Structures are given as structure tokens and as C-alpha cells.
Amino acid sequence: GTTGAVSVTTAGGTATSSSSVTINPLPTLSYAGSPFSYTVGTSITTLTPTTTNSPTTFSSTLPSGLSINTTSGVITGTPTVTSASTVYTITGTTSTGCTNTTSINITVAPSNDACANATNLTVGAAATSGTLTGATFNGPYFTAKKDVWYTFTTASGCNASYTITLSSLPDDKDLYIFSSCSSTSYLYISSSSGTTNEVITQSLTAATTYYIAIYDYANTGGSFNIQVQQGSAIAPSAPSAITGTASVCPSSTGNVY
């Protein structure tokens, strides 16, 4: 402790006393790497704090699915809910009751943030809800703003007409169709303004996988609904009549023309 003198002076004189005061140091804590970007359904890399002056308890409110060890400050878990960029405060406390805080920034993206993790849609099923909250942009086509990805496979047999509908929009979102995740150009696009539904109706090749990108033109995140429906099969054209002179070569298995 530190010893100091305290003097009290009155009309009758001055009295002096000394006492010992212990000054306890504040703890410090930090997490290297902030800001952190995570994805729903994917375990995070363990975050271990760097500390001084021995904090013994830790506390924080973190995104759903993440937790902090209250004695070590280690953060672990698997995010379960998307989250836009958010600052979280972590408090460390020593055995003597001294506290200090640090902050980290965390964004949690949807599980289908990347084309490689596109969510499969069942053709003809009810509309599926999705979100752009926490999403990032993914190349090679998109170089800014946010996007999320879906995929579907057309039925075997004949080519058919398909309608892809993006609805319940909070603001301006666009709808793209690609042939693969590595495509540098899109096959089809719908880019109406405002909250107008985006709809693509096209004849698509049978037994083929297509990729849908929902592009956040307004760059504000938010939710939406997406649906794929199949229309009528497209009948093949009848062949034209054969014209001209045909030569016939008899064989043991039939005539060859």
C-alpha cells in the first residue's frame, strides 16, 4: 500500500494522522483481429483475450450462438442468426473489483452468403424466406454491395418454361440467374426499381443446375421471399420433310439410306 499523512486544523490546533491506502491497478483486455466476419452455421475460430493485471471474471452480450467463458474470457461458438456489423462490449474484472472494458466488431452473414454454399430450392415449392442482413459481396461478377445465393435443378425430359419470383422486398433488390459460380456474366436479370417484385420467366434446359443471386442494390440488408415454379414443357419441333434424291444400299439388316 501507499502511506500518506492527513492533517486536520481547527481553532484549537492541528492534528496529524497517517494511514495506508492500497491502489489496485485496472485490468486491460483486448482481442486481436477485430472486426470479425462470421457465417451462420459455421463455428468461429476461438478468440482468446490478451490481458494485464489478471482479470478473473469476464462478461458480454454476444450474437446468438456465441458465448464467453466467464473466467478466461475465451469466446467460442457457432452463430445461429444473421447480424449486421455490431459493436460488442466485453468487461473484465479483477479479484479486487477493478473493471475495464474493450470492444469488438462482429458481422454474421447468412449461410448462403457465398455461391459455393448456395441454398437449394425445390421447384414448385412454396416461397422460401431469405435475408441479406450481414451478407457480403462475392465475385467474380459482383464487386460491391451484398448478395446471397440459391440454386435449383430443372426437371429431366423436355426443356420447359420456369418462373423465378423475388417478392416481399423492403427496398430495391435485383434478381440474377447464372450458369455456374464461376460465371463472369449472367444469363438473365430482373432489375425493377423500388419494392416491385423481380420476376424472370425463361425457357430453361432440362436436367440443368442454375444459380440465383439476390443482389442488394439498395445495400441495406433486409428480408425477401424467393420461389421457382415450372411452366409447360416445350415440345420439340417436328422435323422438316426429307427432300432430294436418296440412294439406297441394301444390306442384311435392312436398307441403308
Side-chain angles (χ1 to χ4, degrees), residues 31-48 62-67 73-86 88 90 104-114 117 132-136 138 148:
Y31 294 81
S34 183
F36 302 102
S37 295
Y38 300 130
T39 302
V40 168
T42 301
S43 298
I44 72 168
T45 300
T46 298
L47 299 180
T48 302
L62 296 170
S64 297
L66 302 187
S67 61
V74 170
I75 297 173
T76 57
T78 301
T80 58
V81 178
T82 60
S83 170
S85 177
T86 304
Y88 298 89
I90 299 156
I104 59 175
N105 187 297
I106 296 176
T107 300
V108 180
S111 58
N112 59 339
D113 186 44
N117 297 320
L132 282 154
T133 299
T136 61
N138 293 271
V148 291

Side-chain angles (χ1 to χ4, degrees), residues 111-203:
S111 58
N112 59 339
D113 186 44
C115 183
N117 297 320
T119 297
N120 185 65
L121 296 176
T122 300
V123 175
T128 297
S129 62
T131 183
L132 282 154
T133 299
T136 61
F137 69 85
N138 293 271
Y141 183 79
F142 300 113
T143 58
K145 301 185 180 180
K146 308 175 180 72
D147 59 80
V148 291
W149 293 80
Y150 294 85
T151 185
F152 70 97
T153 301
T154 55
S156 58
C158 295
N159 296 348
S161 174
Y162 288 81
T163 297
I164 299 91
T165 304
L166 179 64
S167 61
S168 301
L169 303 178
D171 46 38
D172 200 352
K173 316 298 182 189
D174 293 337
L175 176 64
Y176 289 77
I177 307 296
F178 292 86
S179 61
S180 71
C181 288
S182 59
S183 298
T184 55
S185 61
Y186 59 83
L187 296 174
Y188 310 106
I189 182 177
S190 176
S191 55
S192 302
S193 60
T195 59
T196 302
N197 289 357
E198 304 290 358
V199 180
I200 294 174
T201 299
Q202 289 289 337
S203 170

